[in-house]
Amino acid sequence: MDSLGYLMDGFAVAFTGRNLLLCFVGCLWGTAVGVLPGLGPLAGMALLLPLTFKLDPAGAVIMLAGIFNGAMYGGSTTSILMRIPGEAASVVTCIDGYEMAKRGRAGAALTLAALGSFVGGTISIVGLMAVGPLLADAMLSVGPAAEFVLMLTALLVVSAVSSSPPVKTLAMIVLGLALGTVGMDQLTAYPRFTFGSLDLTDGLNFVALSIGLFGVSEILLNLDEAAPEVPKAPKLRDMLPTGQEIREAAPAVLRGSGVGFLFGLVPGVSHIISTFVSYAIEKKVSKTPEKFGHGAVAGVAGPETANNATTGASMIPLLVLGIPAIPATAILLSALLIHGVQPGPLLMSEHPQVFWGLIASLYLGNAILVILNLPLVGIFVTLLRTPMGVLAPLVLVICLIGVFSLKGSPLDLTILFAAGVVGYLLRKFSYDVAPLLLAFVLGDRMELSFRRALTISDGDWWVFVQGPAARVFLVVLALIGGLQLAAMLLGWRRTGAAA
C-alpha cells in the first residue's frame, strides 16, 4: 500500500467520534494555554498527560498533538494584542504584530497569523508524510559541533532581526548569554551564580524573564504615556486583512513554511530559531525593510508560519528516530512509551494506526484551529477597547498567575518585576530586548554542545569544521557574517558621505 492509502487509513482512525472529540479538546486546551502568559505547549501537554493513561495509544497521541498545535498558534494572540509572548516562539511576533494592533490592524494580524499557521502546518505535514523517512538519516550527522555552529549562526541572524544598532544588539546578546550561565552546570552539576539560593539552581525562569521584559515593560511604557489614544470600536472591515496585506503575506507564508520545516528537523530550540530566521529573511528580501519593527505584515505572517511549520517537521526525528527534536515532543515520546509504543524505524510497520493516525490528526487539527480561532478574532480585538487603567492591572494579574503557576516560587515573581523594570529602561534607551531572550534560550545549550564537542574530540578545535553538517552551517555563518559586515560598511560610508 502506498502513502496515500496509509493516510486514508489514518483518517479512518482520526475521524472516529472519540478521536475527533479528543482532537478538538486538545486544540481548544492548547489554544487556551498558548494565550495565557507563562503556559505553553510543554506545560499544556504535561498537565493533561495523566488523562491519556486510560486512552488507546492513537487517541492519546492525537489529543497531545492537538494541544501541541493549539499552543503553538495561541501564543501569537497575546503577542499581537498586548506584546506579551504566550510562549518562547512568539517573541518575534511581538515586534510587528503589536505595532499592527496599535495601528488598528489587530484583527488583520490575528487572521493572517491563523491562516499562516494553517498553511505552514499543512505544508510541514505533507513534508512529514512524503520525505520524513528519507530526511531522518540526515539527523544522525548533526552532532554537538554542528549544533554549536548552528546556534552561533542563529545569534548572528538575530543581528539582522534587531531594530537596535549592532553595538546595542551585541550588548543584549552578551547579557543574554551571561544570564544563561546562572544555575547548575549541566556537565559537572556545580552551582554557578546561585548565591546560595536553591531556587536558582535550575537557572532563571525563562517565562518570568520573557514576560517581564516584554509584558511588564510594555505596561510601564503605556502608563508612562501622557495622553493614550482613546480606543475605538472595531469594525468588520478592520478585522479582515486587505488585498494588499494578503499579497504581502502570501510569499512570506511560503518562505516561512520552508524555513520552519527545515529547522524542525534539527534537535534543540528549532521552533524559536526558525521564527528569527524567517523574520531576518523577510526583512532582507523586502523592498521596504524600514517598515519592519513598525507593523510590517510579512514580519507577522513569516515567523508565525515558520513557528507552526516546525511542528510537523519536529515529528520526523521523534517518530523515525525516537529523538524529541524540541521539549514539547518529549511529552509525546513519554505518552508513546507509556502505552508500549517504541518510536523508531519500525514504528510505521508495527504501529501504523498510531503513525498515520497522528499525521491525519495533524491535518484535522490545523483545520479545527482555523475554524475555532477565526470567529474569536472579533472578541480578541475587542480587548483593545478596554482602557489601559483597567487592562494593565488585569494583564499584570494574568502574568503573575502564569508565572507563579509553573513552580510556585516567589523568586520567579521577583525576576518578573526586575525584568520588567530593566526591560522598561532598556526600551527607553532604544535597546531591542528580543536578542537578549534568544541568547538566553540558546546559551546553556550552546555551552553544552561546545564542551561536548571538545570532550569528544579530546580538545581538538578542528572538530567544529569537520563533518558535512558543520561545514554547511559554517558556510551559512560566513555568508551571513559577510552580508552583515558589508551592510555595516555601506552604512558607515553613507554616514561619512552625508557628513
Side-chain angles (χ1 to χ4, degrees):
M1 188 184 296
D2 57 9
S3 295
L4 187 58
Y6 283 121
L7 183 61
M8 292 299 102
D9 290 342
F11 275 113
V13 173
F15 271 98
T16 60
R18 189 183 188 189
N19 287 342
L20 195 61
L21 177 62
L22 289 172
C23 186
F24 176 80
V25 170
C27 289
L28 183 63
W29 172 251
T31 302
V33 298
V35 167
L36 288 174
L39 298 178
L42 187 61
M45 294 166 73
L47 287 171
L48 291 194
L49 181 61
L51 297 182
T52 66
F53 293 166
K54 295 187 179 298
L55 300 174
D56 60 278
V61 172
I62 285 172
M63 187 176 78
L64 290 174
I67 298 173
F68 185 25
N69 266 336
M72 294 295 274
Y73 167 73
S76 65
T77 303
T78 49
S79 295
I80 292 170
L81 295 182
M82 302 172 188
R83 200 182 169 92
I84 300 174
E87 48 97 24
S90 299
V91 169
V92 180
T93 310
C94 292
I95 300 172
D96 283 281
Y98 184 68
E99 292 298 323
M100 287 186 68
K102 286 169 64 177
R103 292 193 290 104
R105 304 302 298 156
L110 288 169
T111 301
L112 290 172
L115 296 177
S117 298
F118 174 76
V119 174
T122 301
I123 290 176
S124 71
I125 297 163
V126 172
L128 167 63
M129 180 183 69
V131 298
L134 300 176
L135 292 176
D137 293 338
M139 294 293 301
L140 297 174
S141 63
V142 181
E147 191 173 32
F148 172 77
V149 177
L150 168 65
M151 294 184 185
L152 192 62
T153 305
L155 288 181
L156 192 57
V157 166
V158 82
S159 64
V161 177
S162 179
S163 59
S164 57
V167 174
K168 290 185 176 181
T169 301
L170 179 61
M172 291 295 94
I173 290 174
V174 171
L175 179 58
L177 292 174
L179 292 175
T181 61
V182 176
M184 197 79 74
D185 188 306
Q186 297 186 67
L187 288 181
T188 64
Y190 187 83
R192 303 181 300 187
F193 308 111
T194 59
F195 306 102
S197 172
L198 291 177
D199 289 330
L200 282 177
T201 53
D202 290 334
L204 297 176
N205 189 328
F206 172 79
V207 173
L209 194 65
S210 63
I211 293 178
L213 287 172
F214 279 91
V216 177
S217 68
E218 186 63 37
I219 292 173
L220 294 175
L221 286 170
N222 282 324
L223 294 176
D224 199 27
E225 291 181 359
E229 296 181 9
V230 178
K232 297 179 181 179
K235 299 178 181 179
L236 179 61
R237 67 173 180 270
D238 295 330
M239 290 190 288
L240 299 175
T242 63
Q244 177 62 31
E245 288 173 334
I246 292 174
R247 285 191 292 273
E248 291 179 17
V253 166
L254 293 176
R255 286 189 290 265
S257 299
V259 169
F261 182 78
L262 291 175
F263 274 88
L265 302 174
V266 182
V269 285
S270 51
H271 60 307
I272 301 173
I273 297 176
S274 66
T275 58
F276 278 87
V277 172
S278 174
Y279 190 91
I281 290 173
E282 295 310 318
K283 189 174 181 180
K284 287 293 182 186
V285 302
S286 174
K287 295 180 180 178
T288 54
E290 66 277 1
K291 289 185 178 181
F292 283 75
H294 302 282
V297 172
V300 176
E304 272 303 306
T305 303
N307 178 15
N308 285 268
T310 305
T311 59
S314 65
M315 296 293 177
I316 294 175
L318 171 68
L319 298 176
V320 181
L321 295 176
I323 301 172
I326 58 179
T329 55
I331 302 293
L332 281 173
L333 176 62
S334 301
L336 289 170
L337 294 176
I338 287 170
H339 287 86
V341 177
Q342 178 63 55
L346 299 178
L347 177 64
M348 282 182 276
S349 58
E350 294 182 351
H351 302 280
Q353 75 283 1
V354 174
F355 182 85
W356 293 103
L358 173 61
I359 291 180
S361 72
L362 290 174
Y363 276 111
L364 184 62
N366 275 301
I368 288 175
L369 282 171
V370 173
I371 296 170
L372 188 65
N373 285 284
L374 284 182
L376 297 178
V377 167
I379 297 174
F380 291 147
V381 175
T382 304
L383 291 174
L384 296 178
R385 298 179 61 195
T386 309
M388 184 51 63
V390 177
L391 187 61
L394 206 62
V395 172
L396 190 58
V397 168
I398 294 174
C399 292
L400 290 171
I401 293 173
V403 170
F404 192 74
S405 64
L406 290 179
K407 297 191 296 184
S409 170
L411 179 63
D412 289 343
L413 299 182
T414 304
I415 294 171
L416 172 72
F417 287 113
V421 174
V422 172
Y424 167 76
L425 294 174
L426 287 172
R427 291 171 64 185
K428 270 287 188 179
F429 288 96
S430 303
Y431 282 85
D432 187 358
V433 294
L436 187 158
L437 278 181
L438 180 66
F440 176 77
V441 171
L442 296 182
D444 59 345
R445 196 171 183 91
M446 279 185 69
E447 180 189 8
L448 188 62
S449 299
F450 179 77
R451 292 167 67 182
R452 279 179 174 171
L454 289 179
T455 301
I456 293 171
S457 66
D458 198 22
D460 184 5
W461 288 71
W462 286 105
V463 68
F464 294 106
V465 297
Q466 294 172 349
R471 288 170 184 164
V472 168
F473 295 145
L474 277 173
V475 169
V476 174
L477 180 66
L479 288 174
I480 295 174
L483 290 172
Q484 287 299 101
L485 181 61
M488 288 174 62
L489 292 174
L490 184 60
W492 289 338
R493 183 175 296 178
R494 286 176 177 173
T495 304

